[in-house]
Amino acid sequence: MTIATETHFEVIVIGAGVAGIYQMKRLKDMGVNATVLEACDDLGGTWYNNRYPGARFDSESYTYGYSFSQEVLDEWHWKEKFSPQSENLNYLNFVAGKFDLRQYMQFNCRVTAAHFDEGEDRWVLAIDDGRTLTCRFVIMAVGLLSTPTLPRIEGTEDFKGPSFHTFYWPHEEVDLKGKKVAVIGTGATAIQLIAEIADKVGELNVFQRRPNWSAPLNNCPISPAEMADIRARYDDIFATCARTPGSFEHEPDRRGFYEVSREERLKLWDRLYDEPGFGIWLANFREIFTDEKANEEFSEYIADRIRQRVKDPVTAEKLIPRDHGFGIQRVPMESHYFEAYNRDNVHLIDISEAPIERVTETGIRTSDQDYDADIIVYATGFDAITGAFDHIDIRGLDGQTLRGKWREGPSTFLGILINGFPNLLMPTGPQSGSASTNYPRGIENGVNWSTDLLDYSEQKGFTRLEATKEAEASWTATVTKMYAIMLMRKAKSWFTGYNSNVEGHEEGSIRYFVYNGGTPRYVASINAVAGNDYEGIAFSRKDPPTSSASAPERQIANT
Ligand code: NAP
């Protein structure tokens, strides 16, 4: 039987991105009968889709790669400190090829529904090609930012030229030469894109509703000699990632913001501004995240940097955020972004002053004027974290829908399990340790823990596992409480579940998406649960039916 004709698996993994690939590797090693279902026509997730110019890591490449295989660490050469999309996709293909994982993957398979069959302790999945598959366990490796959202603007269908969301940037080359390009949005994606295409297009109109704080990525090549040094230090690098809150190499400056002089603070900021990566955000004083005054002082420092880099003072002021401080949203890292606005062919259109009224056949109409465009690019973000779940009709016990349960925001146990939805695991779910960190580090932790849980359950002969109501309530309360001290709670960003283009996710309500306790604390929490015989998880077993009568169900609750 080929994988495409098999209808029952012990485990079905949904998604063949960074998490799904590693999850499949673990299951293969355990000898579990598993498959990966992927909606796209190939593997790679984020790095398969986001092909817009400028797309690259904001994690140091060698801290983003998998840590689980010495062979992969020995054989793969990262060429840039912050590796670009095409190289990242090559890397994921290299890993999948090395461990022969493609044979377990089924592409062009979009899961439309997953219903728990209480009688059999299994999931029944509907695939958009018409098949029905069953499995004991479902593992959701659906990605945090995999459901792109278009703006709710009238007329998007009327535009005669090419238009696309950055997530769906065409696979074939887009000819930008001499073209009038309109970009809507100024988030992390747009900031990478704009800087990259500014000198390649005829004219670039950037439609900005709110500016974002941003700081230099300071990317550079990695020579073979440097790569040899990185290889020799991999153990130390991953040990550092494991002990830092964000799972990066960057460690917070543990001196008190107010304990050092202003001169000392400026010295640190000048240094960090010129260093590669997230140091400016994560190697900063911790008060930046929690103390309004400290955050304000640092934000003003960055504002001055913007003023120094943007020649036109009016444009510079428009590029400085007024409604939030630096770092309370995930910080977009840039490469000559601000200098793009010094070019004669790049124009910043402030749509907070003159809003977009509609897209027309020939471009974009604001309340002020019409802007012609040959190409419109929507860099308008994602229905983050829960969006991919909402797009599948997931039903747990008593027909309860996950969409309904999470209407006001997600509630989970450890970000991995959900009460009422047995045998469904999320190695990188909402409220897990990966959302606000260096994703693959969190992914490896989540996949390892989930795989160990499956192994435990299998060894004990259980057929059902589910987070208890109490455990879920307690975890969700912990995650919620952690927001209380963070300035981030005020942000209009996906960290608080904001998305102006999705009904119910607009400004005004917080959804508690992100675990803010940092990696070491998160890992300690999940390890404590495992070490305590999976306290907070109820296990049960259904005996196989005998020929005379169906066997009674035995409940073993471990609460
Ligand atoms: P985003 O941060 O949500 O930004 C979306 C942008 O579109 C915002 O500027 C938003 O304006 C604007 N927008 C949305 N709807 C609009 C509308 N109807 N009219 C006008 N403007 C509209 O999304 P993103 O830039 O794709 O980034 C999302 C996340 O992806 C990042 O936080 C990051 O985690 C990840 N990412 C990472 C990298 C990397 O370096 N590895 C690169 C790109 C993205 P408002 O702010 O006013 O809503």
Side-chain angles (χ1 to χ4, degrees):
M1 203 172 354
T2 69
I3 201 144
T5 55
E6 243 176 283
T7 55
H8 180 77
F9 297 87
E10 181 66 9
V11 178
I12 290 182
V13 180
I14 307 181
V18 179
I21 292 169
Y22 179 46
Q23 183 63 72
M24 191 59 238
K25 162 80 171 93
R26 288 293 319 264
L27 294 169
K28 180 189 178 207
D29 290 349
M30 278 169 64
V32 172
N33 177 29
T35 188
V36 180
L37 305 179
E38 167 58 55
C40 292
D41 57 13
D42 210 341
L43 60 80
T46 284
W47 301 111
Y48 177 79
N49 286 292
N50 287 285
R51 294 174 187 232
Y52 62 86
R56 59 176 66 249
F57 289 154
D58 52 15
S59 309
E60 283 74 6
S61 308
Y62 46 86
T63 71
Y64 188 101
Y66 295 114
S67 71
F68 69 84
S69 159
Q70 191 57 46
E71 280 177 60
V72 169
L73 296 175
D74 288 344
E75 290 169 24
W76 184 261
H77 180 152
W78 293 108
K79 297 194 189 77
E80 290 183 60
K81 186 127 191 166
F82 302 94
S83 177
Q85 174 271 332
S86 58
E87 189 68 357
N88 307 340
L89 189 56
N90 289 343
Y91 171 77
L92 294 175
N93 276 292
F94 161 73
V95 173
K98 180 162 191 63
F99 301 110
D100 210 5
L101 300 176
R102 273 179 179 275
Q103 60 177 313
Y104 304 101
M105 296 179 179
Q106 304 185 50
F107 301 117
N108 298 308
C109 284
R110 184 173 292 281
V111 178
T112 56
H115 294 181
F116 189 67
D117 173 354
E118 299 185 37
E120 300 288 338
D121 278 355
R122 62 177 193 173
W123 283 90
V124 181
L125 270 55
I127 318 297
D128 66 350
D129 59 14
R131 284 182 298 156
T132 299
L133 302 181
T134 57
C135 58
R136 178 76 73 206
F137 295 99
V138 169
I139 299 189
M140 303 293 289
V142 289
L144 303 168
L145 298 158
S146 53
T147 307
T149 46
L150 287 169
R152 291 189 280 192
I153 302 175
E154 230 180 283
T156 49
E157 297 300 316
D158 297 346
F159 183 62
K160 295 282 187 224
S163 64
F164 34 82
H165 191 284
T166 41
F167 188 78
Y168 296 120
W169 189 279
H171 288 202
E172 60 281 5
E173 198 173 335
V174 179
D175 182 14
L176 298 170
K177 198 156 174 254
K179 298 280 180 359
K180 283 186 184 158
V181 178
V183 173
I184 300 182
T186 46
T189 299
I191 283 174
Q192 289 185 328
L193 170 73
I194 290 161
E196 186 70 23
I197 65 172
D199 64 353
K200 298 178 182 68
V201 301
E203 210 172 312
L204 180 57
N205 284 326
V206 178
F207 293 82
Q208 172 182 275
R209 190 163 61 183
R210 288 187 313 143
N212 246 293
W213 292 105
S214 186
L217 181 65
N218 294 317
N219 187 26
C220 57
I222 296 179
S223 69
E226 283 162 331
M227 195 60 222
D229 174 59
I230 288 166
R231 278 204 194 97
R233 291 190 297 109
Y234 261 132
D235 283 352
D236 287 346
I237 290 169
F238 290 124
T240 305
C241 292
R243 72 163 183 268
T244 57
S247 289
F248 286 92
E249 277 193 301
H250 312 287
E251 302 205 45
D253 193 315
R254 297 195 180 273
R255 296 173 299 166
F257 184 95
Y258 298 106
E259 281 165 20
V260 301
S261 64
R262 163 100 177 139
E263 285 65 36
E264 280 292 307
R265 297 201 281 269
L266 290 173
K267 214 164 112 192
L268 173 70
W269 295 339
D270 283 347
R271 177 167 66 71
L272 293 178
Y273 199 81
D274 292 336
E275 282 184 4
F278 271 143
I280 192 76
W281 188 32
L282 303 176
N284 215 316
F285 300 102
R286 288 165 299 170
E287 288 85 345
I288 300 297
F289 296 96
T290 55
D291 181 308
E292 297 269 9
K293 252 184 74 202
N295 183 282
E296 230 175 87
E297 184 182 318
F298 178 60
S299 299
E300 198 43 41
Y301 169 86
I302 297 286
D304 278 341
R305 289 292 198 146
I306 296 172
R307 292 182 186 108
Q308 286 157 20
R309 291 174 57 187
V310 179
K311 285 188 190 140
D312 171 33
V314 177
T315 305
E317 292 309 315
K318 283 187 188 303
L319 288 166
I320 297 171
R322 309 281 167 200
D323 70 330
H324 67 283
F326 184 96
I328 72 163
Q329 300 178 180
R330 201 170 192 277
V331 177
M333 303 308 291
E334 47 89 19
S335 304
H336 312 296
Y337 171 66
F338 293 107
E339 285 74 15
Y341 294 98
N342 295 335
R343 299 180 58 87
D344 291 340
N345 67 330
V346 178
H347 315 286
L348 185 65
I349 321 285
D350 184 352
I351 54 171
S352 72
E353 280 177 1
I356 294 177
E357 289 189 338
R358 60 170 300 125
V359 174
T360 65
E361 286 188 10
T362 54
I364 292 171
R365 179 173 303 154
T366 68
S367 59
D368 247 10
Q369 70 178 86
D370 277 302
Y371 295 88
D372 282 347
D374 300 315
I375 301 171
I376 299 179
V377 183
Y378 299 104
T380 43
F382 299 87
D383 187 4
I385 307 192
T386 49
F389 290 85
D390 286 348
H391 277 73
I392 303 174
D393 174 21
I394 300 173
R395 292 173 196 235
L397 299 177
D398 302 322
Q400 183 188 15
T401 65
L402 188 60
R403 233 177 260 153
K405 179 178 167 106
W406 283 359
R407 196 177 308 283
E408 305 300 322
S411 55
T412 73
F413 179 44
L414 309 175
I416 298 178
L417 297 163
I418 312 163
N419 175 254
F421 294 81
N423 296 2
L424 182 145
L425 289 90
M426 311 173 288
T428 63
Q431 306 182 339
S432 76
S434 49
S436 64
T437 63
N438 192 358
Y439 299 143
R441 304 279 63 78
I443 283 170
E444 281 188 345
N445 291 332
V447 166
N448 288 338
W449 193 90
S450 301
T451 311
D452 290 349
L453 172 62
L454 294 186
D455 193 31
Y456 172 91
S457 177
E458 157 80 23
Q459 294 208 10
K460 301 264 180 188
F462 297 126
T463 55
R464 186 191 287 199
L465 60 88
E466 180 194 356
T468 65
K469 220 176 182 156
E470 297 73 26
E472 178 178 291
S474 162
W475 183 257
T476 301
T478 302
V479 170
T480 306
K481 205 167 148 204
M482 281 175 178
Y483 272 72
I485 60 156
M486 306 295 288
L487 296 174
M488 177 217 289
R489 72 188 183 280
K490 300 179 178 173
K492 272 164 68 177
S493 88
W494 65 267
F495 274 13
T496 51
Y498 158 82
N499 185 316
S500 70
N501 303 309
V502 182
E503 202 183 331
H505 297 179
E506 301 93 339
E507 189 182 1
S509 62
I510 292 194
R511 290 181 297 144
Y512 297 95
F513 269 9
V514 172
Y515 176 85
N516 284 309
T519 295
R521 221 161 134 190
Y522 179 75
V523 170
S525 298
I526 60 175
N527 285 347
V529 169
N532 216 354
D533 251 359
Y534 292 100
E535 186 176 23
I537 302 173
F539 294 90
S540 62
R541 129 180 359 116
K542 244 183 233 311
D543 286 335
T546 60
S547 52
S548 51
S550 59
E553 189 176 323
R554 280 193 271 145
Q555 289 283 346
I556 302 157
N558 187 12
T559 50

